[in-house]
């Protein structure tokens, strides 16, 4: 595979460098997950016709594109962490014309109110980032972790997700609030590891003081929300919009960080299928602000 343009590498037929999709292989509505097995289970919920298009890139981005109740949808598994979200958002935006809706369906730890097996629908997210300069000899006045300002989700997408998940699981098992996106599973999520100097023993006290409305901890949402809010009108026909990506997310609670309870993984596939169908219902109810491009020549063409 030959790539050109070091600024934004693409093949001669228009495939991006990491996700490796080209125009007509990714729909305007995209559900992103971390776990490849979750994506493949959800792909079974797509319509039988047209046949589901599947593609695995050399960087292990897995895509399944088809239709759900007749509406074109892509499901893309990306793995974990901020960098992989950046690859995903930028590269699918580059090969899809018109407005997009992106929803993350993942897992998280809960901070208050949500039990293991419940669902979180974050209406905003902040980032907690390890401050590398703090861990050097000259660190006067620095804190070991940086907390960003919140990035909002699209309120319409939040309500669609909350509505569909509540239909399936009940209002008492679906929680909205502020999400924390940590740049590490360990240090910036307050997990104590005696093998490393992390200075995170009081991180939960700081979170409780500075982010009293935080309900969850995970590793992708802030970057997803941030990039969606930084998207431009470049791919839009109607330039009156302020951005081109509407965004939201929901996560299954795998860990209660206060009680230290962790989910029984035997229950996860059932949660994924019920939750996944609710997410598909939500994203297909999203109404773009302008007409989407033609299906002609796409993998979801009937």
């Amino acid at each position: 595979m030959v790539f050109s343009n070091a600024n934004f590498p693409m093949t001669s037929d228009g495939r991006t460098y990491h996700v490796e999709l080209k125009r007509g292989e990714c729909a305007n509505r995209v559900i992103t997950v971390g776990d490849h097995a979750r994506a493949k289970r959800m792909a079974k919920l797509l319509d039988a016709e047209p046949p589901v298009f599947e593609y695995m890139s050399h960087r292990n981005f897995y895509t399944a594109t088809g239709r759900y109740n007749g509406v074109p949808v892509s499901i893309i598994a990306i793995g974990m962490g901020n960098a992989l979200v950046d690859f995903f958002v930028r590269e699918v935006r580059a090969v899809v014309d018109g407005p997009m809706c992106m929803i993350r369906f993942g897992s998280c730890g809960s901070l208050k109110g949500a039990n293991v097996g419940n669902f979180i629908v974050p209406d905003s997210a902040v980032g907690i980032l390890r401050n590398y300069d703090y861990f050097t000899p000259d660190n006067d006045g620095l804190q070991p972790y940086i907390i960003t300002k919140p990035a909002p989700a699209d309120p319409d997408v939040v309500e669609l997700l909350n509505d569909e998940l509540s239909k399936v699981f009940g209002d008492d098992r679906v929680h909205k609030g502020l999400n924390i996106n940590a740049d590490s599973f360990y240090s910036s999520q307050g997990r104590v590891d005696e093998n490393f100097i992390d200075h995170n023993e009081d991180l939960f006290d700081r979170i409780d003081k500075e982010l009293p409305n935080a309900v969850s901890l995970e590793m992708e949402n802030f970057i997803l929300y941030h990039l969606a809010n930084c998207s431009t009108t470049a791919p839009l026909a109607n330039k009156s919009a302020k951005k081109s990506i509407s965004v939201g997310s929901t996560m299954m609670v795998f860990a209660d960080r206060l009680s230290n309870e962790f989910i029984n993984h035997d229950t996860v596939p059932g949660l994924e299928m019920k939750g996944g169908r609710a997410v598909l219902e939500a994203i297909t109810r999203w109404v773009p602000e302008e007409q989407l491009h033609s299906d002609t020549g796409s993998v979801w063409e009937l």
Side-chain angles (χ1 to χ4, degrees):
M1 193 174 289
V2 179
F3 291 86
S4 61
N5 184 2
N7 182 61
F8 201 101
M10 298 182 79
T11 63
S12 58
D13 63 344
R15 291 196 183 278
T16 60
Y17 189 52
H18 303 91
V19 185
E20 282 184 17
L21 296 180
K22 62 181 181 179
R23 274 181 167 76
E25 294 178 347
C26 182
N28 293 75
R29 294 171 173 87
V30 186
I31 298 168
T32 181
V33 304
D35 188 341
H36 291 65
R38 182 178 307 145
K40 291 178 180 179
R41 278 193 282 267
M42 287 183 64
K44 295 177 181 178
L45 298 173
L46 299 178
D47 298 349
E49 295 294 334
V52 176
F53 165 83
E54 295 182 278
Y55 190 92
M56 178 72 80
S57 81
H58 76 293
R59 299 284 187 175
N60 290 320
F61 287 84
Y62 165 78
T63 298
T65 297
R67 289 176 181 258
Y68 181 78
N69 292 338
V71 179
V73 177
S74 291
I75 301 165
I76 303 181
I78 68 171
M80 297 174 64
N82 294 343
L84 296 178
V85 176
D86 190 74
F87 291 151
F88 154 72
V89 174
R90 292 178 186 272
E91 293 190 12
V92 300
R93 176 67 282 179
V95 296
V96 177
D97 298 316
M100 298 188 71
C101 181
M102 297 181 182
I103 294 178
R104 166 171 143 72
F105 177 35
S107 60
C108 70
S110 68
L111 296 176
K112 53 173 76 83
N115 297 322
V116 168
N118 286 184
F119 282 76
I120 306 286
V121 180
D123 51 21
S124 59
V126 300
I128 288 189
L129 315 173
R130 186 180 177 98
N131 185 356
Y132 299 105
D133 288 346
Y134 172 87
F135 297 91
T136 63
D138 184 16
N139 67 353
D140 289 347
L142 300 179
Q143 294 221 52
Y145 296 91
I146 299 166
I147 300 178
T148 72
K149 294 180 179 180
D154 186 286
D156 293 333
V157 178
V158 169
E159 288 309 311
L160 288 172
L161 286 166
N162 188 70
D163 182 51
E164 292 296 339
L165 287 162
S166 295
K167 289 178 185 177
V168 176
F169 297 102
D171 292 340
D172 60 330
R173 293 184 62 189
V174 181
H175 309 260
K176 287 196 293 184
L178 174 70
N179 175 74
I180 298 172
N181 174 175
D183 66 347
S184 165
F185 184 79
Y186 293 101
S187 66
S188 47
Q189 289 196 41
R191 290 183 167 91
V192 177
D193 179 0
E194 64 181 12
N195 295 299
F196 296 92
I197 298 169
D198 291 318
H199 288 189
N200 62 356
E201 293 82 0
D202 63 349
L203 186 57
F204 277 99
D205 292 334
R206 186 179 172 197
I207 288 171
D208 194 51
K209 180 181 179 180
E210 297 183 28
L211 304 171
N213 297 323
V215 294
S216 54
L217 262 170
E218 50 78 72
M219 295 180 63
E220 289 83 22
N221 280 331
F222 172 73
I223 299 300
L224 180 63
Y225 289 10
H226 167 75
L227 288 174
N229 285 290
C230 290
S231 65
T232 71
T233 60
L236 303 183
N238 178 6
K239 301 299 183 184
S240 64
K242 293 182 179 180
K243 59 184 181 180
S244 65
I245 302 174
S246 299
V247 71
S249 68
T250 185
M251 302 92 68
M252 301 168 284
V253 176
F254 274 16
D256 185 329
R257 293 304 309 278
L258 300 185
S259 71
N260 223 20
E261 180 184 1
F262 204 83
I263 199 166
N264 178 347
H265 267 271
D266 291 342
T267 68
V268 171
L271 284 175
E272 286 179 339
M273 294 304 278
K274 290 180 180 179
R277 189 178 292 279
V279 173
L280 283 162
E281 293 285 347
I283 203 169
T284 53
R285 286 175 56 193
W286 170 74
V287 179
E289 294 184 1
E290 64 181 59
Q291 185 175 353
L292 301 184
H293 56 82
S294 171
D295 296 340
T296 302
S298 69
V299 298
W300 61 85
E301 183 178 6
L302 292 170

